[in-house]
Amino acid sequence: MNVDEMKDVREFRAGAPKPERARLAEGRDRLSSAAGRGRGRRLRADWRLAAVGAAAALTAVAVLASGLAGGGHSGAERTVPAATRTVPGSVKEVLERAASTVERTDPPPTPHAGQWIYEKKLSASPGIWPPSAAPQPEPKPEPQEHWARYADPRFENGKEGDDRSMRERLRFLDELPNDPAAVLKKVRAYYPSGKGSPESEGEHDMGALSVLFKSQPIPPQALAKLYRAVAAVPGIEVTDHLVRDLAGRDALAVGHDEKGQKVRREILIDPHTYQYLGDRWIVVKDYRDTFPGADDTPDRPWKAGDLMFQNALLATGVVDHKGDRP
């Protein structure tokens, strides 16, 4: 991200509470996906500007809303009869099955400097707030394609703090230890929490791990270690039935949920191949979001079951040139 883009993001969220450093790291990536539809600008993922269902993130979304072409999806999860969609086992058993399955797959080729990481995904974000007087139909999310340099010198050697190139992230993943507790310790150091952060250790762990799941092409051994580390996060749970992701695919939902938490952050996993499918934020407790400094903006109500943010990874790969597809 260049200086002008950083300035734009800061101006977008003027008046919002300053987010803690260790909030959800891909908050800026979510704004990127939405803003890209209306602004044609690519904003990179940034640990420092993200928020887990907090006023900071939603204020940024609200300010950007006039440029968004995609809306959020809310309401209880649609399911077919539970008897045919039950997820057996505890969260540790489910994630151990996932880890032992993926670590037996063949590793992808290692990218090299000069190549690009291609990604195609669906994203949905909260719609315009406050809503316009004339009700508008909710637009259907359209697939988005993105290309990012595998080795981008602008995002290496600490030039953008925690906003690292894919090459640096994959090198970090290659060096992860086998012990899940040791993995969590390294991840916390890689994406540290800010002083006075209100989030719990489990919330912080889930946010940091969620960023690493987006690394591409992730080696099978590293993915297995991440799954086992997720199982060791305090407050981690697996939904007892399959859910549908934004693309309509069956998915295992693994999320962090602790007492007093308003928003549950979930990663979504293919129930057959155990590959990473995407993520979502789902409201678990009724509450109202306020917008300090914006006196003309009413509080935004959220109901348990509302889906805030959703991402569905459709395709990814390594290509030689920006614009190429695998």
Side-chain angles (χ1 to χ4, degrees), residues 26 28-34 37 42 45 118-124 141-146 214 246-247 249 276-279 310-316:
E26 81 293 358
R28 188 162 56 175
D29 187 48
R30 298 194 179 284
L31 298 183
S32 163
S33 298
R37 296 192 286 272
R42 173 74 172 111
Y118 166 83
E119 182 181 78
K120 182 178 182 179
K121 68 179 181 179
L122 287 175
S123 296
E142 297 293 334
Q144 304 293 308
E145 295 183 302
H146 300 286
K214 296 176 183 293
L246 189 59
R249 301 172 296 189
Y276 172 78
L277 293 180
D279 63 356
Q310 299 181 78
N311 278 319
L313 182 63
L314 303 179
T316 187

PDB file of all heavy atoms in Angstrom, residues 26 28-34 37 42 45 118-124 141-146 214 246-247 249 276-279 310-316:
ATOM      1  N   GLU A  26      -7.514  -8.867   8.194  1.00  0.00           N
ATOM      2  CA  GLU A  26      -7.910  -8.636   6.815  1.00  0.00           C
ATOM      3  C   GLU A  26      -9.060  -7.647   6.699  1.00  0.00           C
ATOM      4  O   GLU A  26      -9.750  -7.585   5.699  1.00  0.00           O
ATOM      5  CB  GLU A  26      -8.276  -9.946   6.124  1.00  0.00           C
ATOM      6  CG  GLU A  26      -9.659 -10.454   6.399  1.00  0.00           C
ATOM      7  CD  GLU A  26      -9.822 -10.868   7.831  1.00  0.00           C
ATOM      8  OE1 GLU A  26      -8.846 -10.799   8.594  1.00  0.00           O
ATOM      9  OE2 GLU A  26     -10.935 -11.250   8.184  1.00  0.00           O
ATOM     10  N   ARG A  28      -8.919  -4.530   6.175  1.00  0.00           N
ATOM     11  CA  ARG A  28      -8.706  -3.683   5.016  1.00  0.00           C
ATOM     12  C   ARG A  28      -8.922  -4.452   3.724  1.00  0.00           C
ATOM     13  O   ARG A  28      -9.347  -3.900   2.713  1.00  0.00           O
ATOM     14  CB  ARG A  28      -7.300  -3.093   5.061  1.00  0.00           C
ATOM     15  CG  ARG A  28      -7.078  -2.044   3.984  1.00  0.00           C
ATOM     16  CD  ARG A  28      -5.892  -1.165   4.263  1.00  0.00           C
ATOM     17  NE  ARG A  28      -4.668  -1.912   4.443  1.00  0.00           N
ATOM     18  CZ  ARG A  28      -3.489  -1.332   4.595  1.00  0.00           C
ATOM     19  NH1 ARG A  28      -3.388  -0.034   4.611  1.00  0.00           N
ATOM     20  NH2 ARG A  28      -2.413  -2.064   4.748  1.00  0.00           N
ATOM     21  N   ASP A  29      -8.674  -5.771   3.773  1.00  0.00           N
ATOM     22  CA  ASP A  29      -8.929  -6.586   2.592  1.00  0.00           C
ATOM     23  C   ASP A  29     -10.417  -6.645   2.295  1.00  0.00           C
ATOM     24  O   ASP A  29     -10.835  -6.646   1.138  1.00  0.00           O
ATOM     25  CB  ASP A  29      -8.381  -7.989   2.812  1.00  0.00           C
ATOM     26  CG  ASP A  29      -8.444  -8.841   1.569  1.00  0.00           C
ATOM     27  OD1 ASP A  29      -8.019  -8.338   0.518  1.00  0.00           O
ATOM     28  OD2 ASP A  29      -8.905  -9.979   1.656  1.00  0.00           O
ATOM     29  N   ARG A  30     -11.239  -6.695   3.344  1.00  0.00           N
ATOM     30  CA  ARG A  30     -12.687  -6.707   3.147  1.00  0.00           C
ATOM     31  C   ARG A  30     -13.139  -5.401   2.506  1.00  0.00           C
ATOM     32  O   ARG A  30     -13.955  -5.387   1.599  1.00  0.00           O
ATOM     33  CB  ARG A  30     -13.392  -6.917   4.486  1.00  0.00           C
ATOM     34  CG  ARG A  30     -13.054  -8.247   5.128  1.00  0.00           C
ATOM     35  CD  ARG A  30     -14.015  -8.556   6.244  1.00  0.00           C
ATOM     36  NE  ARG A  30     -13.704  -9.840   6.854  1.00  0.00           N
ATOM     37  CZ  ARG A  30     -13.987 -11.003   6.304  1.00  0.00           C
ATOM     38  NH1 ARG A  30     -14.580 -11.057   5.135  1.00  0.00           N
ATOM     39  NH2 ARG A  30     -13.656 -12.120   6.914  1.00  0.00           N
ATOM     40  N   LEU A  31     -12.612  -4.282   3.004  1.00  0.00           N
ATOM     41  CA  LEU A  31     -12.945  -3.005   2.394  1.00  0.00           C
ATOM     42  C   LEU A  31     -12.432  -2.952   0.955  1.00  0.00           C
ATOM     43  O   LEU A  31     -13.057  -2.366   0.078  1.00  0.00           O
ATOM     44  CB  LEU A  31     -12.329  -1.855   3.199  1.00  0.00           C
ATOM     45  CG  LEU A  31     -12.830  -1.734   4.640  1.00  0.00           C
ATOM     46  CD1 LEU A  31     -12.206  -0.512   5.295  1.00  0.00           C
ATOM     47  CD2 LEU A  31     -14.339  -1.634   4.664  1.00  0.00           C
ATOM     48  N   SER A  32     -11.282  -3.592   0.740  1.00  0.00           N
ATOM     49  CA  SER A  32     -10.734  -3.645  -0.608  1.00  0.00           C
ATOM     50  C   SER A  32     -11.686  -4.312  -1.577  1.00  0.00           C
ATOM     51  O   SER A  32     -11.944  -3.821  -2.674  1.00  0.00           O
ATOM     52  CB  SER A  32      -9.409  -4.417  -0.578  1.00  0.00           C
ATOM     53  OG  SER A  32      -9.046  -4.830  -1.861  1.00  0.00           O
ATOM     54  N   SER A  33     -12.211  -5.480  -1.185  1.00  0.00           N
ATOM     55  CA  SER A  33     -13.092  -6.224  -2.069  1.00  0.00           C
ATOM     56  C   SER A  33     -14.347  -5.425  -2.396  1.00  0.00           C
ATOM     57  O   SER A  33     -14.816  -5.400  -3.519  1.00  0.00           O
ATOM     58  CB  SER A  33     -13.481  -7.557  -1.423  1.00  0.00           C
ATOM     59  OG  SER A  33     -12.345  -8.339  -1.218  1.00  0.00           O
ATOM     60  N   ALA A  34     -14.896  -4.770  -1.348  1.00  0.00           N
ATOM     61  CA  ALA A  34     -16.119  -4.003  -1.564  1.00  0.00           C
ATOM     62  C   ALA A  34     -15.827  -2.727  -2.340  1.00  0.00           C
ATOM     63  O   ALA A  34     -16.507  -2.386  -3.304  1.00  0.00           O
ATOM     64  CB  ALA A  34     -16.760  -3.675  -0.222  1.00  0.00           C
ATOM     65  N   ARG A  37     -15.279  -2.715  -6.178  1.00  0.00           N
ATOM     66  CA  ARG A  37     -16.399  -2.768  -7.106  1.00  0.00           C
ATOM     67  C   ARG A  37     -16.867  -1.381  -7.492  1.00  0.00           C
ATOM     68  O   ARG A  37     -17.411  -1.175  -8.557  1.00  0.00           O
ATOM     69  CB  ARG A  37     -17.536  -3.573  -6.472  1.00  0.00           C
ATOM     70  CG  ARG A  37     -17.179  -5.014  -6.222  1.00  0.00           C
ATOM     71  CD  ARG A  37     -18.414  -5.810  -5.875  1.00  0.00           C
ATOM     72  NE  ARG A  37     -18.881  -5.539  -4.532  1.00  0.00           N
ATOM     73  CZ  ARG A  37     -18.461  -6.188  -3.452  1.00  0.00           C
ATOM     74  NH1 ARG A  37     -17.545  -7.111  -3.571  1.00  0.00           N
ATOM     75  NH2 ARG A  37     -18.960  -5.924  -2.255  1.00  0.00           N
ATOM     76  N   ARG A  42      -7.273  -1.051  -5.271  1.00  0.00           N
ATOM     77  CA  ARG A  42      -6.885  -2.254  -4.539  1.00  0.00           C
ATOM     78  C   ARG A  42      -6.249  -1.842  -3.218  1.00  0.00           C
ATOM     79  O   ARG A  42      -5.162  -1.294  -3.199  1.00  0.00           O
ATOM     80  CB  ARG A  42      -5.894  -3.075  -5.373  1.00  0.00           C
ATOM     81  CG  ARG A  42      -5.305  -4.275  -4.629  1.00  0.00           C
ATOM     82  CD  ARG A  42      -6.334  -5.381  -4.511  1.00  0.00           C
ATOM     83  NE  ARG A  42      -5.701  -6.563  -3.975  1.00  0.00           N
ATOM     84  CZ  ARG A  42      -5.946  -7.042  -2.768  1.00  0.00           C
ATOM     85  NH1 ARG A  42      -6.797  -6.444  -1.972  1.00  0.00           N
ATOM     86  NH2 ARG A  42      -5.344  -8.149  -2.363  1.00  0.00           N
ATOM     87  N   ALA A  45      -4.568  -6.072   2.544  1.00  0.00           N
ATOM     88  CA  ALA A  45      -4.924  -6.482   3.897  1.00  0.00           C
ATOM     89  C   ALA A  45      -3.989  -5.807   4.885  1.00  0.00           C
ATOM     90  O   ALA A  45      -2.817  -5.647   4.641  1.00  0.00           O
ATOM     91  CB  ALA A  45      -4.798  -8.001   4.028  1.00  0.00           C
ATOM     92  N   TYR A 118      -2.816 -15.309  -8.011  1.00  0.00           N
ATOM     93  CA  TYR A 118      -4.166 -15.022  -8.527  1.00  0.00           C
ATOM     94  C   TYR A 118      -5.193 -15.514  -7.519  1.00  0.00           C
ATOM     95  O   TYR A 118      -5.043 -16.571  -6.905  1.00  0.00           O
ATOM     96  CB  TYR A 118      -4.377 -15.745  -9.857  1.00  0.00           C
ATOM     97  CG  TYR A 118      -5.819 -15.791 -10.322  1.00  0.00           C
ATOM     98  CD1 TYR A 118      -6.380 -14.716 -11.002  1.00  0.00           C
ATOM     99  CD2 TYR A 118      -6.603 -16.916 -10.086  1.00  0.00           C
ATOM    100  CE1 TYR A 118      -7.696 -14.762 -11.433  1.00  0.00           C
ATOM    101  CE2 TYR A 118      -7.910 -16.966 -10.515  1.00  0.00           C
ATOM    102  CZ  TYR A 118      -8.463 -15.890 -11.193  1.00  0.00           C
ATOM    103  OH  TYR A 118      -9.771 -15.944 -11.614  1.00  0.00           O
ATOM    104  N   GLU A 119      -6.268 -14.729  -7.356  1.00  0.00           N
ATOM    105  CA  GLU A 119      -7.344 -15.109  -6.448  1.00  0.00           C
ATOM    106  C   GLU A 119      -8.684 -14.676  -7.029  1.00  0.00           C
ATOM    107  O   GLU A 119      -8.828 -13.570  -7.524  1.00  0.00           O
ATOM    108  CB  GLU A 119      -7.141 -14.451  -5.083  1.00  0.00           C
ATOM    109  CG  GLU A 119      -8.187 -14.833  -4.055  1.00  0.00           C
ATOM    110  CD  GLU A 119      -7.965 -14.130  -2.723  1.00  0.00           C
ATOM    111  OE1 GLU A 119      -8.319 -12.931  -2.628  1.00  0.00           O
ATOM    112  OE2 GLU A 119      -7.437 -14.759  -1.798  1.00  0.00           O
ATOM    113  N   LYS A 120      -9.644 -15.587  -6.960  1.00  0.00           N
ATOM    114  CA  LYS A 120     -11.019 -15.281  -7.363  1.00  0.00           C
ATOM    115  C   LYS A 120     -11.912 -15.613  -6.190  1.00  0.00           C
ATOM    116  O   LYS A 120     -11.853 -16.717  -5.641  1.00  0.00           O
ATOM    117  CB  LYS A 120     -11.416 -16.119  -8.587  1.00  0.00           C
ATOM    118  CG  LYS A 120     -12.822 -15.836  -9.113  1.00  0.00           C
ATOM    119  CD  LYS A 120     -13.103 -16.688 -10.357  1.00  0.00           C
ATOM    120  CE  LYS A 120     -14.488 -16.384 -10.920  1.00  0.00           C
ATOM    121  NZ  LYS A 120     -14.762 -17.203 -12.141  1.00  0.00           N
ATOM    122  N   LYS A 121     -12.757 -14.664  -5.787  1.00  0.00           N
ATOM    123  CA  LYS A 121     -13.587 -14.905  -4.618  1.00  0.00           C
ATOM    124  C   LYS A 121     -14.874 -14.092  -4.683  1.00  0.00           C
ATOM    125  O   LYS A 121     -15.017 -13.168  -5.491  1.00  0.00           O
ATOM    126  CB  LYS A 121     -12.829 -14.560  -3.337  1.00  0.00           C
ATOM    127  CG  LYS A 121     -12.547 -13.077  -3.142  1.00  0.00           C
ATOM    128  CD  LYS A 121     -11.808 -12.849  -1.829  1.00  0.00           C
ATOM    129  CE  LYS A 121     -11.543 -11.366  -1.597  1.00  0.00           C
ATOM    130  NZ  LYS A 121     -10.843 -11.133  -0.308  1.00  0.00           N
ATOM    131  N   LEU A 122     -15.800 -14.475  -3.832  1.00  0.00           N
ATOM    132  CA  LEU A 122     -17.024 -13.729  -3.597  1.00  0.00           C
ATOM    133  C   LEU A 122     -16.909 -13.067  -2.237  1.00  0.00           C
ATOM    134  O   LEU A 122     -16.407 -13.664  -1.284  1.00  0.00           O
ATOM    135  CB  LEU A 122     -18.245 -14.652  -3.597  1.00  0.00           C
ATOM    136  CG  LEU A 122     -18.730 -15.236  -4.924  1.00  0.00           C
ATOM    137  CD1 LEU A 122     -19.866 -16.224  -4.663  1.00  0.00           C
ATOM    138  CD2 LEU A 122     -19.206 -14.129  -5.857  1.00  0.00           C
ATOM    139  N   SER A 123     -17.391 -11.836  -2.131  1.00  0.00           N
ATOM    140  CA  SER A 123     -17.379 -11.141  -0.852  1.00  0.00           C
ATOM    141  C   SER A 123     -18.697 -10.419  -0.643  1.00  0.00           C
ATOM    142  O   SER A 123     -19.321  -9.948  -1.602  1.00  0.00           O
ATOM    143  CB  SER A 123     -16.233 -10.119  -0.794  1.00  0.00           C
ATOM    144  OG  SER A 123     -14.982 -10.755  -0.856  1.00  0.00           O
ATOM    145  N   ALA A 124     -19.129 -10.339   0.595  1.00  0.00           N
ATOM    146  CA  ALA A 124     -20.318  -9.585   0.965  1.00  0.00           C
ATOM    147  C   ALA A 124     -20.015  -8.808   2.224  1.00  0.00           C
ATOM    148  O   ALA A 124     -19.401  -9.342   3.159  1.00  0.00           O
ATOM    149  CB  ALA A 124     -21.514 -10.514   1.173  1.00  0.00           C
ATOM    150  N   PRO A 141     -23.806 -10.759  -4.927  1.00  0.00           N
ATOM    151  CA  PRO A 141     -22.347 -10.624  -5.017  1.00  0.00           C
ATOM    152  C   PRO A 141     -21.817 -11.206  -6.324  1.00  0.00           C
ATOM    153  O   PRO A 141     -22.260 -12.256  -6.777  1.00  0.00           O
ATOM    154  CB  PRO A 141     -21.839 -11.421  -3.810  1.00  0.00           C
ATOM    155  CG  PRO A 141     -22.994 -11.473  -2.871  1.00  0.00           C
ATOM    156  CD  PRO A 141     -24.218 -11.505  -3.724  1.00  0.00           C
ATOM    157  N   GLU A 142     -20.889 -10.515  -6.925  1.00  0.00           N
ATOM    158  CA  GLU A 142     -20.258 -10.967  -8.155  1.00  0.00           C
ATOM    159  C   GLU A 142     -18.819 -11.397  -7.867  1.00  0.00           C
ATOM    160  O   GLU A 142     -18.154 -10.822  -7.004  1.00  0.00           O
ATOM    161  CB  GLU A 142     -20.258  -9.846  -9.198  1.00  0.00           C
ATOM    162  CG  GLU A 142     -21.649  -9.403  -9.640  1.00  0.00           C
ATOM    163  CD  GLU A 142     -22.374 -10.486 -10.421  1.00  0.00           C
ATOM    164  OE1 GLU A 142     -21.690 -11.324 -11.035  1.00  0.00           O
ATOM    165  OE2 GLU A 142     -23.621 -10.492 -10.424  1.00  0.00           O
ATOM    166  N   PRO A 143     -18.324 -12.408  -8.573  1.00  0.00           N
ATOM    167  CA  PRO A 143     -16.937 -12.843  -8.352  1.00  0.00           C
ATOM    168  C   PRO A 143     -15.944 -11.711  -8.602  1.00  0.00           C
ATOM    169  O   PRO A 143     -16.094 -10.930  -9.545  1.00  0.00           O
ATOM    170  CB  PRO A 143     -16.761 -13.979  -9.362  1.00  0.00           C
ATOM    171  CG  PRO A 143     -18.145 -14.467  -9.641  1.00  0.00           C
ATOM    172  CD  PRO A 143     -19.017 -13.246  -9.567  1.00  0.00           C
ATOM    173  N   GLN A 144     -14.955 -11.615  -7.745  1.00  0.00           N
ATOM    174  CA  GLN A 144     -13.891 -10.628  -7.871  1.00  0.00           C
ATOM    175  C   GLN A 144     -12.575 -11.352  -8.137  1.00  0.00           C
ATOM    176  O   GLN A 144     -12.292 -12.390  -7.539  1.00  0.00           O
ATOM    177  CB  GLN A 144     -13.769  -9.807  -6.585  1.00  0.00           C
ATOM    178  CG  GLN A 144     -15.041  -9.112  -6.157  1.00  0.00           C
ATOM    179  CD  GLN A 144     -15.442  -8.017  -7.117  1.00  0.00           C
ATOM    180  OE1 GLN A 144     -14.637  -7.144  -7.445  1.00  0.00           O
ATOM    181  NE2 GLN A 144     -16.680  -8.059  -7.567  1.00  0.00           N
ATOM    182  N   GLU A 145     -11.758 -10.794  -9.027  1.00  0.00           N
ATOM    183  CA  GLU A 145     -10.438 -11.352  -9.318  1.00  0.00           C
ATOM    184  C   GLU A 145      -9.372 -10.373  -8.869  1.00  0.00           C
ATOM    185  O   GLU A 145      -9.506  -9.160  -9.055  1.00  0.00           O
ATOM    186  CB  GLU A 145     -10.289 -11.638 -10.815  1.00  0.00           C
ATOM    187  CG  GLU A 145     -11.223 -12.729 -11.337  1.00  0.00           C
ATOM    188  CD  GLU A 145     -10.992 -13.023 -12.799  1.00  0.00           C
ATOM    189  OE1 GLU A 145     -11.117 -12.075 -13.601  1.00  0.00           O
ATOM    190  OE2 GLU A 145     -10.664 -14.163 -13.146  1.00  0.00           O
ATOM    191  N   HIS A 146      -8.320 -10.907  -8.247  1.00  0.00           N
ATOM    192  CA  HIS A 146      -7.234 -10.065  -7.776  1.00  0.00           C
ATOM    193  C   HIS A 146      -5.897 -10.725  -8.112  1.00  0.00           C
ATOM    194  O   HIS A 146      -5.791 -11.952  -8.135  1.00  0.00           O
ATOM    195  CB  HIS A 146      -7.320  -9.859  -6.261  1.00  0.00           C
ATOM    196  CG  HIS A 146      -8.582  -9.208  -5.807  1.00  0.00           C
ATOM    197  ND1 HIS A 146      -8.846  -7.871  -5.993  1.00  0.00           N
ATOM    198  CD2 HIS A 146      -9.668  -9.720  -5.178  1.00  0.00           C
ATOM    199  CE1 HIS A 146     -10.029  -7.587  -5.494  1.00  0.00           C
ATOM    200  NE2 HIS A 146     -10.559  -8.696  -5.000  1.00  0.00           N
ATOM    201  N   LYS A 214      -5.301 -17.267   4.622  1.00  0.00           N
ATOM    202  CA  LYS A 214      -5.449 -16.653   3.304  1.00  0.00           C
ATOM    203  C   LYS A 214      -4.159 -16.699   2.492  1.00  0.00           C
ATOM    204  O   LYS A 214      -4.132 -16.248   1.347  1.00  0.00           O
ATOM    205  CB  LYS A 214      -5.899 -15.199   3.472  1.00  0.00           C
ATOM    206  CG  LYS A 214      -7.269 -15.050   4.117  1.00  0.00           C
ATOM    207  CD  LYS A 214      -7.603 -13.579   4.335  1.00  0.00           C
ATOM    208  CE  LYS A 214      -8.929 -13.424   5.052  1.00  0.00           C
ATOM    209  NZ  LYS A 214     -10.070 -13.876   4.232  1.00  0.00           N
ATOM    210  N   LEU A 246     -20.886 -18.420   1.086  1.00  0.00           N
ATOM    211  CA  LEU A 246     -21.458 -17.417   0.194  1.00  0.00           C
ATOM    212  C   LEU A 246     -21.649 -17.954  -1.211  1.00  0.00           C
ATOM    213  O   LEU A 246     -22.524 -17.483  -1.949  1.00  0.00           O
ATOM    214  CB  LEU A 246     -20.563 -16.169   0.173  1.00  0.00           C
ATOM    215  CG  LEU A 246     -21.102 -14.934  -0.540  1.00  0.00           C
ATOM    216  CD1 LEU A 246     -22.430 -14.471   0.076  1.00  0.00           C
ATOM    217  CD2 LEU A 246     -20.068 -13.801  -0.485  1.00  0.00           C
ATOM    218  N   ALA A 247     -20.878 -18.959  -1.598  1.00  0.00           N
ATOM    219  CA  ALA A 247     -21.000 -19.572  -2.919  1.00  0.00           C
ATOM    220  C   ALA A 247     -22.001 -20.721  -2.924  1.00  0.00           C
ATOM    221  O   ALA A 247     -22.168 -21.387  -3.950  1.00  0.00           O
ATOM    222  CB  ALA A 247     -19.636 -20.061  -3.395  1.00  0.00           C
ATOM    223  N   ARG A 249     -21.788 -23.500  -1.081  1.00  0.00           N
ATOM    224  CA  ARG A 249     -21.142 -24.782  -0.863  1.00  0.00           C
ATOM    225  C   ARG A 249     -21.293 -25.223   0.592  1.00  0.00           C
ATOM    226  O   ARG A 249     -21.320 -24.402   1.507  1.00  0.00           O
ATOM    227  CB  ARG A 249     -19.645 -24.671  -1.204  1.00  0.00           C
ATOM    228  CG  ARG A 249     -19.372 -24.255  -2.636  1.00  0.00           C
ATOM    229  CD  ARG A 249     -17.890 -23.962  -2.858  1.00  0.00           C
ATOM    230  NE  ARG A 249     -17.420 -22.835  -2.064  1.00  0.00           N
ATOM    231  CZ  ARG A 249     -16.225 -22.269  -2.206  1.00  0.00           C
ATOM    232  NH1 ARG A 249     -15.371 -22.753  -3.108  1.00  0.00           N
ATOM    233  NH2 ARG A 249     -15.877 -21.239  -1.459  1.00  0.00           N
ATOM    234  N   TYR A 276      -9.336 -24.953   2.854  1.00  0.00           N
ATOM    235  CA  TYR A 276      -9.909 -23.693   3.324  1.00  0.00           C
ATOM    236  C   TYR A 276     -10.826 -23.106   2.252  1.00  0.00           C
ATOM    237  O   TYR A 276     -10.443 -22.992   1.082  1.00  0.00           O
ATOM    238  CB  TYR A 276      -8.777 -22.723   3.655  1.00  0.00           C
ATOM    239  CG  TYR A 276      -9.204 -21.317   3.969  1.00  0.00           C
ATOM    240  CD1 TYR A 276      -9.738 -20.993   5.215  1.00  0.00           C
ATOM    241  CD2 TYR A 276      -9.059 -20.301   3.025  1.00  0.00           C
ATOM    242  CE1 TYR A 276     -10.113 -19.690   5.507  1.00  0.00           C
ATOM    243  CE2 TYR A 276      -9.426 -18.998   3.311  1.00  0.00           C
ATOM    244  CZ  TYR A 276      -9.956 -18.699   4.552  1.00  0.00           C
ATOM    245  OH  TYR A 276     -10.329 -17.406   4.836  1.00  0.00           O
ATOM    246  N   LEU A 277     -12.064 -22.749   2.632  1.00  0.00           N
ATOM    247  CA  LEU A 277     -13.041 -22.203   1.686  1.00  0.00           C
ATOM    248  C   LEU A 277     -13.260 -20.701   1.834  1.00  0.00           C
ATOM    249  O   LEU A 277     -13.680 -20.034   0.893  1.00  0.00           O
ATOM    250  CB  LEU A 277     -14.392 -22.900   1.854  1.00  0.00           C
ATOM    251  CG  LEU A 277     -14.487 -24.371   1.478  1.00  0.00           C
ATOM    252  CD1 LEU A 277     -15.906 -24.875   1.715  1.00  0.00           C
ATOM    253  CD2 LEU A 277     -14.064 -24.592   0.030  1.00  0.00           C
ATOM    254  N   GLY A 278     -13.011 -20.160   3.019  1.00  0.00           N
ATOM    255  CA  GLY A 278     -13.283 -18.743   3.243  1.00  0.00           C
ATOM    256  C   GLY A 278     -13.586 -18.485   4.700  1.00  0.00           C
ATOM    257  O   GLY A 278     -13.249 -19.279   5.580  1.00  0.00           O
ATOM    258  N   ASP A 279     -14.261 -17.366   4.970  1.00  0.00           N
ATOM    259  CA  ASP A 279     -14.589 -17.032   6.348  1.00  0.00           C
ATOM    260  C   ASP A 279     -15.826 -16.152   6.395  1.00  0.00           C
ATOM    261  O   ASP A 279     -16.340 -15.703   5.371  1.00  0.00           O
ATOM    262  CB  ASP A 279     -13.406 -16.359   7.040  1.00  0.00           C
ATOM    263  CG  ASP A 279     -13.022 -15.027   6.393  1.00  0.00           C
ATOM    264  OD1 ASP A 279     -13.619 -14.658   5.364  1.00  0.00           O
ATOM    265  OD2 ASP A 279     -12.118 -14.362   6.917  1.00  0.00           O
ATOM    266  N   GLN A 310     -18.616 -11.801   4.688  1.00  0.00           N
ATOM    267  CA  GLN A 310     -18.435 -13.160   4.163  1.00  0.00           C
ATOM    268  C   GLN A 310     -17.432 -13.126   3.018  1.00  0.00           C
ATOM    269  O   GLN A 310     -17.440 -12.201   2.206  1.00  0.00           O
ATOM    270  CB  GLN A 310     -19.755 -13.722   3.636  1.00  0.00           C
ATOM    271  CG  GLN A 310     -20.868 -13.846   4.665  1.00  0.00           C
ATOM    272  CD  GLN A 310     -22.109 -14.435   4.036  1.00  0.00           C
ATOM    273  OE1 GLN A 310     -22.189 -15.634   3.816  1.00  0.00           O
ATOM    274  NE2 GLN A 310     -23.078 -13.593   3.734  1.00  0.00           N
ATOM    275  N   ASN A 311     -16.596 -14.137   2.966  1.00  0.00           N
ATOM    276  CA  ASN A 311     -15.667 -14.340   1.862  1.00  0.00           C
ATOM    277  C   ASN A 311     -15.722 -15.796   1.445  1.00  0.00           C
ATOM    278  O   ASN A 311     -15.685 -16.680   2.305  1.00  0.00           O
ATOM    279  CB  ASN A 311     -14.227 -14.012   2.265  1.00  0.00           C
ATOM    280  CG  ASN A 311     -13.938 -12.526   2.192  1.00  0.00           C
ATOM    281  OD1 ASN A 311     -14.366 -11.854   1.274  1.00  0.00           O
ATOM    282  ND2 ASN A 311     -13.207 -12.023   3.170  1.00  0.00           N
ATOM    283  N   ALA A 312     -15.816 -16.060   0.163  1.00  0.00           N
ATOM    284  CA  ALA A 312     -15.788 -17.419  -0.368  1.00  0.00           C
ATOM    285  C   ALA A 312     -14.687 -17.484  -1.420  1.00  0.00           C
ATOM    286  O   ALA A 312     -14.780 -16.824  -2.467  1.00  0.00           O
ATOM    287  CB  ALA A 312     -17.132 -17.801  -0.976  1.00  0.00           C
ATOM    288  N   LEU A 313     -13.643 -18.238  -1.137  1.00  0.00           N
ATOM    289  CA  LEU A 313     -12.535 -18.404  -2.078  1.00  0.00           C
ATOM    290  C   LEU A 313     -12.965 -19.382  -3.173  1.00  0.00           C
ATOM    291  O   LEU A 313     -13.285 -20.534  -2.890  1.00  0.00           O
ATOM    292  CB  LEU A 313     -11.301 -18.923  -1.345  1.00  0.00           C
ATOM    293  CG  LEU A 313     -10.032 -19.101  -2.180  1.00  0.00           C
ATOM    294  CD1 LEU A 313      -9.558 -17.764  -2.728  1.00  0.00           C
ATOM    295  CD2 LEU A 313      -8.936 -19.751  -1.336  1.00  0.00           C
ATOM    296  N   LEU A 314     -12.967 -18.925  -4.411  1.00  0.00           N
ATOM    297  CA  LEU A 314     -13.419 -19.752  -5.536  1.00  0.00           C
ATOM    298  C   LEU A 314     -12.260 -20.396  -6.287  1.00  0.00           C
ATOM    299  O   LEU A 314     -12.390 -21.521  -6.762  1.00  0.00           O
ATOM    300  CB  LEU A 314     -14.244 -18.897  -6.503  1.00  0.00           C
ATOM    301  CG  LEU A 314     -15.464 -18.185  -5.910  1.00  0.00           C
ATOM    302  CD1 LEU A 314     -16.169 -17.372  -6.986  1.00  0.00           C
ATOM    303  CD2 LEU A 314     -16.423 -19.180  -5.265  1.00  0.00           C
ATOM    304  N   ALA A 315     -11.164 -19.687  -6.422  1.00  0.00           N
ATOM    305  CA  ALA A 315     -10.017 -20.225  -7.164  1.00  0.00           C
ATOM    306  C   ALA A 315      -8.772 -19.434  -6.793  1.00  0.00           C
ATOM    307  O   ALA A 315      -8.843 -18.256  -6.438  1.00  0.00           O
ATOM    308  CB  ALA A 315     -10.263 -20.132  -8.671  1.00  0.00           C
ATOM    309  N   THR A 316      -7.648 -20.090  -6.857  1.00  0.00           N
ATOM    310  CA  THR A 316      -6.380 -19.420  -6.606  1.00  0.00           C
ATOM    311  C   THR A 316      -5.285 -20.154  -7.377  1.00  0.00           C
ATOM    312  O   THR A 316      -5.453 -21.311  -7.765  1.00  0.00           O
ATOM    313  CB  THR A 316      -6.049 -19.390  -5.114  1.00  0.00           C
ATOM    314  OG1 THR A 316      -4.872 -18.589  -4.895  1.00  0.00           O
ATOM    315  CG2 THR A 316      -5.823 -20.778  -4.566  1.00  0.00           C
TER     316      THR A 316
END
